[in-house]
Amino acid sequence: MTQEQRPTRAGLDWARAQAFLAQERARFTADHPRSAALAERARGHLLFGVPLHWMNDWDTPFALHVDHACGAQVTDVDGHTLVDFCLGDTGAMFGHSPAPVATALARQASRGYTTMLATEDAAVVGEQLAQRFGLPVWQFAMSATDANRYIVRWIRAATGRKKILVFNGCYHGTIEDVFVDLVDGRPVQRDSLLGQVHKLLDTTVVVEFNDLAALEDALKAGDVACVLAEPVMTNIGMVLPEPGFWDQAQRIIRRHGTLLVMDETHTISTGPGGYAQAHGIAADALVLGKPVGGGVPCAVYGMSAELAARAERAKREAPPGHSGIGTTLTGNMLAMAAMRAALTEVMTPDAYGHMLGLAQGLADGLRQVIARQGLPWCVTQVGARTEFQFCPTPPASGSEADRSLDGELEHLIHLGLLNRGVMITPFHNMMLVCPQTTEEQVARLTSALDEVLAQITPLR
């Protein structure tokens, strides 16, 4: 199969696309001399030249360096202001530096950062989380990765079961247990998981999303502690649950004595209580990272009263010694202040009302652009999160979603958008709107995408 014959490239002129990419890379280089100089400087002491290696996934000729970010905009060190629909890959889903969080952090900055002691903010945050998500007992972490790791450990301790089940193509941060894929229907430990020495297939079961028969079969032995899932898969391209999937899945999970963990780190885009609350999914535990502190590093995980009682009993009955479920900075004073402000003043129904309406307009605009350019692509929306995928209809499983990915095409489009003052997430084609995003900025995105696609489709 030639490059042009790849299913994701139907309707494109790949020769024009490659010429466009060369032009856009030259344009970026010419327009960003300060970023180029800083990238060269950073290469001397930072692994891969960046603070976090996947900062290179933007596929720019060198790392873009930011000067400041506020609301729905990012300004780079060369003075270009970009409309930001990436929003820190969800970390800044409620805008960069939301005023209530900034005020809370400034106040707390002179009152202590970390003491390994409780504060009033912690009590308020616990109450807010219980009210919002319907789970009564909560703990904290520094990232969703850690929150997922911690809740899995608590559940294993509470149930005495070692196995967990995940859906093919899932992403729950970098918790090692989940890096198992289905390849031609067989579970395979992901080759890209660097440094992993333990055999994950002994304790991790993987099935396709939306496959109820496979879920039933995987749980019938009664040895799976929990199903760890996003209610909508979001990190391999969005995969929506089919009608009735979660109703039936919950019955299967309960029947086999397995617990259900909802990772709402991305699907909090649905509404104030997340996707599970909005769609009647009664989880035993819930994880939320990135946006819960307005972008400040922190995460939360909650559990039902029954699970909390079992977890506490397991801890009391365990031999004395350090449990390791947490870190010294967990629940630090800065994070608690940020979460209190975010939960009470930022993640409000009014903010969601603005975001959801704007995201619907964005989804409609994307569909119009795609239709105008004659491309067989689809658009999927989950609350404030919108994505276009290189397939005619939304995928129903991780395997289907994987086949619709095309890294070269994604990066070509993303670079074209960057050069036109618009930034979307570098992984697949995900876009978020925040409370500060405007209709004019949405129109700027759709106009820029229209311009880019016109450069890579056949001349008319």
mmCIF file of all heavy atoms in Angstrom, residues 81-128:
data_model
loop_
_atom_site.group_PDB
_atom_site.id
_atom_site.type_symbol
_atom_site.label_atom_id
_atom_site.label_comp_id
_atom_site.label_asym_id
_atom_site.label_seq_id
_atom_site.Cartn_x
_atom_site.Cartn_y
_atom_site.Cartn_z
ATOM 1 N N THR A 81 0.873 35.247 19.677
ATOM 2 C CA THR A 81 -0.218 34.838 20.549
ATOM 3 C C THR A 81 -1.085 33.817 19.822
ATOM 4 O O THR A 81 -1.596 34.080 18.734
ATOM 5 C CB THR A 81 -1.067 36.033 20.984
ATOM 6 O OG1 THR A 81 -0.247 36.918 21.761
ATOM 7 C CG2 THR A 81 -2.247 35.587 21.839
ATOM 8 N N LEU A 82 -1.227 32.650 20.426
ATOM 9 C CA LEU A 82 -1.971 31.537 19.849
ATOM 10 C C LEU A 82 -3.279 31.348 20.597
ATOM 11 O O LEU A 82 -3.314 31.426 21.836
ATOM 12 C CB LEU A 82 -1.158 30.247 19.946
ATOM 13 C CG LEU A 82 0.240 30.250 19.319
ATOM 14 C CD1 LEU A 82 1.026 29.039 19.798
ATOM 15 C CD2 LEU A 82 0.125 30.242 17.806
ATOM 16 N N VAL A 83 -4.349 31.088 19.852
ATOM 17 C CA VAL A 83 -5.586 30.646 20.484
ATOM 18 C C VAL A 83 -5.404 29.179 20.853
ATOM 19 O O VAL A 83 -5.066 28.355 20.005
ATOM 20 C CB VAL A 83 -6.792 30.820 19.539
ATOM 21 C CG1 VAL A 83 -8.070 30.410 20.267
ATOM 22 C CG2 VAL A 83 -6.897 32.258 19.062
ATOM 23 N N ASP A 84 -5.612 28.863 22.114
ATOM 24 C CA ASP A 84 -5.243 27.548 22.633
ATOM 25 C C ASP A 84 -6.473 26.657 22.804
ATOM 26 O O ASP A 84 -7.315 26.900 23.670
ATOM 27 C CB ASP A 84 -4.527 27.716 23.971
ATOM 28 C CG ASP A 84 -3.964 26.405 24.504
ATOM 29 O OD1 ASP A 84 -4.044 25.396 23.783
ATOM 30 O OD2 ASP A 84 -3.456 26.406 25.635
ATOM 31 N N PHE A 85 -6.553 25.629 21.962
ATOM 32 C CA PHE A 85 -7.586 24.607 22.106
ATOM 33 C C PHE A 85 -7.003 23.306 22.635
ATOM 34 O O PHE A 85 -7.702 22.304 22.713
ATOM 35 C CB PHE A 85 -8.284 24.361 20.759
ATOM 36 C CG PHE A 85 -9.123 25.520 20.297
ATOM 37 C CD1 PHE A 85 -8.585 26.510 19.489
ATOM 38 C CD2 PHE A 85 -10.451 25.633 20.684
ATOM 39 C CE1 PHE A 85 -9.346 27.589 19.063
ATOM 40 C CE2 PHE A 85 -11.229 26.706 20.262
ATOM 41 C CZ PHE A 85 -10.684 27.685 19.451
ATOM 42 N N CYS A 86 -5.730 23.308 22.991
ATOM 43 C CA CYS A 86 -5.095 22.171 23.643
ATOM 44 C C CYS A 86 -5.289 22.266 25.151
ATOM 45 O O CYS A 86 -5.636 21.296 25.820
ATOM 46 C CB CYS A 86 -3.612 22.130 23.303
ATOM 47 S SG CYS A 86 -2.668 20.896 24.230
ATOM 48 N N LEU A 87 -5.043 23.468 25.679
ATOM 49 C CA LEU A 87 -5.235 23.744 27.104
ATOM 50 C C LEU A 87 -4.501 22.732 27.984
ATOM 51 O O LEU A 87 -5.045 22.125 28.895
ATOM 52 C CB LEU A 87 -6.727 23.791 27.446
ATOM 53 C CG LEU A 87 -7.501 24.933 26.741
ATOM 54 C CD1 LEU A 87 -8.998 24.783 26.938
ATOM 55 C CD2 LEU A 87 -7.026 26.294 27.238
ATOM 56 N N GLY A 88 -3.203 22.591 27.667
ATOM 57 C CA GLY A 88 -2.362 21.714 28.469
ATOM 58 C C GLY A 88 -2.820 20.276 28.437
ATOM 59 O O GLY A 88 -2.636 19.543 29.415
ATOM 60 N N ASP A 89 -3.393 19.840 27.304
ATOM 61 C CA ASP A 89 -3.935 18.482 27.193
ATOM 62 C C ASP A 89 -4.868 18.193 28.365
ATOM 63 O O ASP A 89 -4.771 17.164 29.024
ATOM 64 C CB ASP A 89 -2.815 17.453 27.100
ATOM 65 C CG ASP A 89 -3.340 16.063 26.728
ATOM 66 O OD1 ASP A 89 -4.445 15.980 26.169
ATOM 67 O OD2 ASP A 89 -2.640 15.072 27.004
ATOM 68 N N THR A 90 -5.749 19.138 28.655
ATOM 69 C CA THR A 90 -6.823 19.069 29.651
ATOM 70 C C THR A 90 -6.434 19.682 30.995
ATOM 71 O O THR A 90 -7.299 20.097 31.753
ATOM 72 C CB THR A 90 -7.346 17.626 29.871
ATOM 73 O OG1 THR A 90 -7.673 17.046 28.613
ATOM 74 C CG2 THR A 90 -8.578 17.597 30.739
ATOM 75 N N GLY A 91 -5.147 19.794 31.291
ATOM 76 C CA GLY A 91 -4.745 20.357 32.581
ATOM 77 C C GLY A 91 -5.298 21.754 32.806
ATOM 78 O O GLY A 91 -5.643 22.134 33.929
ATOM 79 N N ALA A 92 -5.390 22.556 31.741
ATOM 80 C CA ALA A 92 -5.919 23.916 31.829
ATOM 81 C C ALA A 92 -7.303 23.989 31.183
ATOM 82 O O ALA A 92 -7.644 24.958 30.517
ATOM 83 C CB ALA A 92 -4.962 24.903 31.170
ATOM 84 N N MET A 93 -8.116 22.945 31.390
ATOM 85 C CA MET A 93 -9.427 22.883 30.749
ATOM 86 C C MET A 93 -10.315 24.056 31.117
ATOM 87 O O MET A 93 -11.224 24.425 30.373
ATOM 88 C CB MET A 93 -10.127 21.580 31.119
ATOM 89 C CG MET A 93 -11.330 21.252 30.246
ATOM 90 S SD MET A 93 -12.168 19.740 30.751
ATOM 91 C CE MET A 93 -13.320 20.399 31.948
ATOM 92 N N PHE A 94 -10.067 24.681 32.245
ATOM 93 C CA PHE A 94 -10.863 25.829 32.669
ATOM 94 C C PHE A 94 -10.124 27.143 32.459
ATOM 95 O O PHE A 94 -10.391 28.151 33.111
ATOM 96 C CB PHE A 94 -11.307 25.652 34.127
ATOM 97 C CG PHE A 94 -12.158 24.425 34.296
ATOM 98 C CD1 PHE A 94 -11.615 23.245 34.760
ATOM 99 C CD2 PHE A 94 -13.493 24.433 33.926
ATOM 100 C CE1 PHE A 94 -12.382 22.093 34.875
ATOM 101 C CE2 PHE A 94 -14.275 23.304 34.037
ATOM 102 C CZ PHE A 94 -13.717 22.127 34.517
ATOM 103 N N GLY A 95 -9.190 27.113 31.507
ATOM 104 C CA GLY A 95 -8.430 28.299 31.148
ATOM 105 C C GLY A 95 -7.113 28.366 31.889
ATOM 106 O O GLY A 95 -6.945 27.805 32.974
ATOM 107 N N HIS A 96 -6.153 29.056 31.285
ATOM 108 C CA HIS A 96 -4.857 29.252 31.928
ATOM 109 C C HIS A 96 -4.986 30.307 33.029
ATOM 110 O O HIS A 96 -5.572 31.372 32.823
ATOM 111 C CB HIS A 96 -3.824 29.708 30.900
ATOM 112 C CG HIS A 96 -3.535 28.686 29.844
ATOM 113 N ND1 HIS A 96 -2.820 27.534 30.109
ATOM 114 C CD2 HIS A 96 -3.871 28.639 28.524
ATOM 115 C CE1 HIS A 96 -2.720 26.828 28.993
ATOM 116 N NE2 HIS A 96 -3.343 27.471 28.022
ATOM 117 N N SER A 97 -4.443 29.997 34.181
ATOM 118 C CA SER A 97 -4.423 30.912 35.324
ATOM 119 C C SER A 97 -5.796 31.483 35.643
ATOM 120 O O SER A 97 -5.994 32.702 35.687
ATOM 121 C CB SER A 97 -3.443 32.066 35.068
ATOM 122 O OG SER A 97 -2.147 31.572 34.838
ATOM 123 N N PRO A 98 -6.807 30.627 35.890
ATOM 124 C CA PRO A 98 -8.121 31.170 36.258
ATOM 125 C C PRO A 98 -8.005 32.045 37.496
ATOM 126 O O PRO A 98 -7.310 31.689 38.461
ATOM 127 C CB PRO A 98 -8.972 29.934 36.507
ATOM 128 C CG PRO A 98 -8.005 28.802 36.667
ATOM 129 C CD PRO A 98 -6.785 29.159 35.905
ATOM 130 N N ALA A 99 -8.654 33.189 37.473
ATOM 131 C CA ALA A 99 -8.456 34.217 38.507
ATOM 132 C C ALA A 99 -8.667 33.698 39.930
ATOM 133 O O ALA A 99 -7.851 33.995 40.816
ATOM 134 C CB ALA A 99 -9.359 35.412 38.216
ATOM 135 N N PRO A 100 -9.730 32.938 40.232
ATOM 136 C CA PRO A 100 -9.888 32.472 41.614
ATOM 137 C C PRO A 100 -8.745 31.579 42.083
ATOM 138 O O PRO A 100 -8.330 31.653 43.250
ATOM 139 C CB PRO A 100 -11.216 31.699 41.561
ATOM 140 C CG PRO A 100 -11.960 32.289 40.415
ATOM 141 C CD PRO A 100 -10.903 32.587 39.396
ATOM 142 N N VAL A 101 -8.211 30.742 41.180
ATOM 143 C CA VAL A 101 -7.093 29.880 41.559
ATOM 144 C C VAL A 101 -5.831 30.715 41.751
ATOM 145 O O VAL A 101 -5.072 30.502 42.709
ATOM 146 C CB VAL A 101 -6.876 28.782 40.497
ATOM 147 C CG1 VAL A 101 -5.630 27.954 40.819
ATOM 148 C CG2 VAL A 101 -8.100 27.876 40.410
ATOM 149 N N ALA A 102 -5.602 31.663 40.855
ATOM 150 C CA ALA A 102 -4.426 32.531 40.997
ATOM 151 C C ALA A 102 -4.464 33.291 42.316
ATOM 152 O O ALA A 102 -3.437 33.422 43.005
ATOM 153 C CB ALA A 102 -4.359 33.503 39.818
ATOM 154 N N THR A 103 -5.634 33.795 42.692
ATOM 155 C CA THR A 103 -5.785 34.522 43.956
ATOM 156 C C THR A 103 -5.516 33.601 45.144
ATOM 157 O O THR A 103 -4.818 33.985 46.100
ATOM 158 C CB THR A 103 -7.189 35.117 44.056
ATOM 159 O OG1 THR A 103 -7.396 36.030 42.982
ATOM 160 C CG2 THR A 103 -7.384 35.843 45.386
ATOM 161 N N ALA A 104 -6.069 32.387 45.091
ATOM 162 C CA ALA A 104 -5.870 31.436 46.185
ATOM 163 C C ALA A 104 -4.403 31.051 46.330
ATOM 164 O O ALA A 104 -3.876 30.942 47.443
ATOM 165 C CB ALA A 104 -6.721 30.194 45.944
ATOM 166 N N LEU A 105 -3.719 30.855 45.204
ATOM 167 C CA LEU A 105 -2.302 30.494 45.252
ATOM 168 C C LEU A 105 -1.459 31.638 45.794
ATOM 169 O O LEU A 105 -0.525 31.423 46.582
ATOM 170 C CB LEU A 105 -1.819 30.094 43.860
ATOM 171 C CG LEU A 105 -2.355 28.779 43.306
ATOM 172 C CD1 LEU A 105 -1.909 28.593 41.861
ATOM 173 C CD2 LEU A 105 -1.895 27.597 44.161
ATOM 174 N N ALA A 106 -1.774 32.868 45.367
ATOM 175 C CA ALA A 106 -1.019 34.026 45.859
ATOM 176 C C ALA A 106 -1.190 34.173 47.370
ATOM 177 O O ALA A 106 -0.231 34.459 48.099
ATOM 178 C CB ALA A 106 -1.488 35.281 45.140
ATOM 179 N N ARG A 107 -2.393 33.954 47.839
ATOM 180 C CA ARG A 107 -2.655 34.045 49.281
ATOM 181 C C ARG A 107 -1.913 32.945 50.032
ATOM 182 O O ARG A 107 -1.279 33.200 51.064
ATOM 183 C CB ARG A 107 -4.154 33.942 49.549
ATOM 184 C CG ARG A 107 -4.533 33.999 51.026
ATOM 185 C CD ARG A 107 -6.051 33.957 51.210
ATOM 186 N NE ARG A 107 -6.402 34.054 52.610
ATOM 187 C CZ ARG A 107 -6.494 33.005 53.444
ATOM 188 N NH1 ARG A 107 -6.226 31.782 52.990
ATOM 189 N NH2 ARG A 107 -6.830 33.164 54.714
ATOM 190 N N GLN A 108 -1.952 31.728 49.499
ATOM 191 C CA GLN A 108 -1.325 30.613 50.196
ATOM 192 C C GLN A 108 0.195 30.689 50.129
ATOM 193 O O GLN A 108 0.885 30.165 51.022
ATOM 194 C CB GLN A 108 -1.794 29.294 49.590
ATOM 195 C CG GLN A 108 -1.367 28.055 50.363
ATOM 196 C CD GLN A 108 -1.923 28.031 51.777
ATOM 197 O OE1 GLN A 108 -3.115 28.248 51.998
ATOM 198 N NE2 GLN A 108 -1.054 27.791 52.763
ATOM 199 N N ALA A 109 0.729 31.361 49.112
ATOM 200 C CA ALA A 109 2.183 31.381 48.910
ATOM 201 C C ALA A 109 2.940 31.951 50.098
ATOM 202 O O ALA A 109 4.093 31.575 50.339
ATOM 203 C CB ALA A 109 2.514 32.173 47.644
ATOM 204 N N SER A 110 2.324 32.846 50.835
ATOM 205 C CA SER A 110 2.999 33.422 52.000
ATOM 206 C C SER A 110 2.587 32.732 53.298
ATOM 207 O O SER A 110 2.993 33.143 54.385
ATOM 208 C CB SER A 110 2.691 34.924 52.105
ATOM 209 O OG SER A 110 1.296 35.123 52.265
ATOM 210 N N ARG A 111 1.791 31.648 53.175
ATOM 211 C CA ARG A 111 1.268 30.965 54.361
ATOM 212 C C ARG A 111 1.714 29.505 54.437
ATOM 213 O O ARG A 111 1.214 28.733 55.252
ATOM 214 C CB ARG A 111 -0.262 31.033 54.359
ATOM 215 C CG ARG A 111 -0.813 32.450 54.474
ATOM 216 C CD ARG A 111 -2.289 32.520 54.093
ATOM 217 N NE ARG A 111 -3.113 31.617 54.880
ATOM 218 C CZ ARG A 111 -3.614 31.904 56.084
ATOM 219 N NH1 ARG A 111 -3.352 33.096 56.631
ATOM 220 N NH2 ARG A 111 -4.365 31.047 56.728
ATOM 221 N N GLY A 112 2.662 29.139 53.561
ATOM 222 C CA GLY A 112 3.187 27.780 53.604
ATOM 223 C C GLY A 112 2.768 26.973 52.403
ATOM 224 O O GLY A 112 1.654 27.130 51.889
ATOM 225 N N TYR A 113 3.684 26.130 51.932
ATOM 226 C CA TYR A 113 3.429 25.292 50.762
ATOM 227 C C TYR A 113 3.072 23.857 51.150
ATOM 228 O O TYR A 113 2.186 23.252 50.586
ATOM 229 C CB TYR A 113 4.653 25.250 49.846
ATOM 230 C CG TYR A 113 5.111 26.583 49.314
ATOM 231 C CD1 TYR A 113 6.388 26.733 48.801
ATOM 232 C CD2 TYR A 113 4.285 27.707 49.328
ATOM 233 C CE1 TYR A 113 6.827 27.945 48.292
ATOM 234 C CE2 TYR A 113 4.705 28.924 48.831
ATOM 235 C CZ TYR A 113 5.981 29.046 48.320
ATOM 236 O OH TYR A 113 6.408 30.244 47.835
ATOM 237 N N THR A 114 3.839 23.297 52.092
ATOM 238 C CA THR A 114 3.621 21.900 52.451
ATOM 239 C C THR A 114 4.072 21.684 53.893
ATOM 240 O O THR A 114 5.137 22.150 54.302
ATOM 241 C CB THR A 114 4.377 20.962 51.500
ATOM 242 O OG1 THR A 114 4.087 19.616 51.844
ATOM 243 C CG2 THR A 114 5.879 21.183 51.529
ATOM 244 N N THR A 115 3.241 21.001 54.675
ATOM 245 C CA THR A 115 3.556 20.728 56.080
ATOM 246 C C THR A 115 3.321 19.273 56.461
ATOM 247 O O THR A 115 3.617 18.866 57.569
ATOM 248 C CB THR A 115 2.677 21.597 57.002
ATOM 249 O OG1 THR A 115 1.292 21.307 56.726
ATOM 250 C CG2 THR A 115 2.956 23.079 56.795
ATOM 251 N N MET A 116 2.743 18.477 55.562
ATOM 252 C CA MET A 116 2.279 17.126 55.847
ATOM 253 C C MET A 116 1.260 17.132 56.990
ATOM 254 O O MET A 116 1.190 16.210 57.812
ATOM 255 C CB MET A 116 3.435 16.174 56.152
ATOM 256 C CG MET A 116 3.121 14.726 55.744
ATOM 257 S SD MET A 116 4.495 13.560 55.961
ATOM 258 C CE MET A 116 4.507 13.372 57.747
ATOM 259 N N LEU A 117 0.447 18.208 56.996
ATOM 260 C CA LEU A 117 -0.651 18.346 57.954
ATOM 261 C C LEU A 117 -1.897 18.788 57.217
ATOM 262 O O LEU A 117 -1.830 19.375 56.133
ATOM 263 C CB LEU A 117 -0.295 19.380 59.035
ATOM 264 C CG LEU A 117 0.866 19.008 59.962
ATOM 265 C CD1 LEU A 117 1.298 20.220 60.780
ATOM 266 C CD2 LEU A 117 0.461 17.855 60.887
ATOM 267 N N ALA A 118 -3.039 18.539 57.824
ATOM 268 C CA ALA A 118 -4.315 18.882 57.198
ATOM 269 C C ALA A 118 -4.595 20.380 57.326
ATOM 270 O O ALA A 118 -4.054 21.080 58.182
ATOM 271 C CB ALA A 118 -5.442 18.090 57.847
ATOM 272 N N THR A 119 -5.460 20.881 56.442
ATOM 273 C CA THR A 119 -5.891 22.278 56.467
ATOM 274 C C THR A 119 -7.411 22.329 56.324
ATOM 275 O O THR A 119 -8.064 21.342 55.957
ATOM 276 C CB THR A 119 -5.278 23.071 55.303
ATOM 277 O OG1 THR A 119 -5.738 22.503 54.059
ATOM 278 C CG2 THR A 119 -3.759 23.040 55.337
ATOM 279 N N GLU A 120 -7.963 23.494 56.586
ATOM 280 C CA GLU A 120 -9.401 23.682 56.379
ATOM 281 C C GLU A 120 -9.767 23.456 54.912
ATOM 282 O O GLU A 120 -10.837 22.918 54.598
ATOM 283 C CB GLU A 120 -9.814 25.099 56.798
ATOM 284 C CG GLU A 120 -11.302 25.386 56.570
ATOM 285 C CD GLU A 120 -11.682 26.812 56.920
ATOM 286 O OE1 GLU A 120 -11.146 27.348 57.918
ATOM 287 O OE2 GLU A 120 -12.516 27.397 56.190
ATOM 288 N N ASP A 121 -8.882 23.872 54.015
ATOM 289 C CA ASP A 121 -9.152 23.677 52.590
ATOM 290 C C ASP A 121 -9.437 22.209 52.284
ATOM 291 O O ASP A 121 -10.302 21.893 51.455
ATOM 292 C CB ASP A 121 -7.956 24.145 51.755
ATOM 293 C CG ASP A 121 -7.829 25.652 51.712
ATOM 294 O OD1 ASP A 121 -8.834 26.347 51.960
ATOM 295 O OD2 ASP A 121 -6.714 26.136 51.432
ATOM 296 N N ALA A 122 -8.709 21.290 52.935
ATOM 297 C CA ALA A 122 -8.896 19.863 52.671
ATOM 298 C C ALA A 122 -10.310 19.427 53.029
ATOM 299 O O ALA A 122 -10.946 18.660 52.279
ATOM 300 C CB ALA A 122 -7.871 19.045 53.445
ATOM 301 N N ALA A 123 -10.814 19.900 54.140
ATOM 302 C CA ALA A 123 -12.175 19.543 54.542
ATOM 303 C C ALA A 123 -13.196 20.058 53.540
ATOM 304 O O ALA A 123 -14.141 19.351 53.163
ATOM 305 C CB ALA A 123 -12.472 20.095 55.936
ATOM 306 N N VAL A 124 -13.006 21.292 53.099
ATOM 307 C CA VAL A 124 -13.929 21.876 52.122
ATOM 308 C C VAL A 124 -13.865 21.115 50.802
ATOM 309 O O VAL A 124 -14.897 20.821 50.181
ATOM 310 C CB VAL A 124 -13.615 23.370 51.913
ATOM 311 C CG1 VAL A 124 -14.470 23.950 50.785
ATOM 312 C CG2 VAL A 124 -13.832 24.153 53.198
ATOM 313 N N VAL A 125 -12.656 20.781 50.353
ATOM 314 C CA VAL A 125 -12.500 20.046 49.100
ATOM 315 C C VAL A 125 -13.187 18.689 49.194
ATOM 316 O O VAL A 125 -13.884 18.263 48.258
ATOM 317 C CB VAL A 125 -11.009 19.889 48.745
ATOM 318 C CG1 VAL A 125 -10.822 18.884 47.604
ATOM 319 C CG2 VAL A 125 -10.416 21.237 48.365
ATOM 320 N N GLY A 126 -13.015 17.981 50.302
ATOM 321 C CA GLY A 126 -13.680 16.691 50.480
ATOM 322 C C GLY A 126 -15.192 16.815 50.383
ATOM 323 O O GLY A 126 -15.859 15.996 49.738
ATOM 324 N N GLU A 127 -15.742 17.835 51.028
ATOM 325 C CA GLU A 127 -17.191 18.061 50.965
ATOM 326 C C GLU A 127 -17.640 18.363 49.544
ATOM 327 O O GLU A 127 -18.666 17.850 49.074
ATOM 328 C CB GLU A 127 -17.565 19.222 51.892
ATOM 329 C CG GLU A 127 -17.383 18.918 53.371
ATOM 330 C CD GLU A 127 -17.423 20.161 54.238
ATOM 331 O OE1 GLU A 127 -17.486 21.288 53.686
ATOM 332 O OE2 GLU A 127 -17.389 20.017 55.479
ATOM 333 N N GLN A 128 -16.881 19.188 48.850
ATOM 334 C CA GLN A 128 -17.224 19.553 47.471
ATOM 335 C C GLN A 128 -17.197 18.335 46.548
ATOM 336 O O GLN A 128 -18.081 18.162 45.701
ATOM 337 C CB GLN A 128 -16.257 20.619 46.960
ATOM 338 C CG GLN A 128 -16.456 22.002 47.568
ATOM 339 C CD GLN A 128 -17.719 22.676 47.047
ATOM 340 O OE1 GLN A 128 -18.049 22.568 45.873
ATOM 341 N NE2 GLN A 128 -18.426 23.371 47.937
#
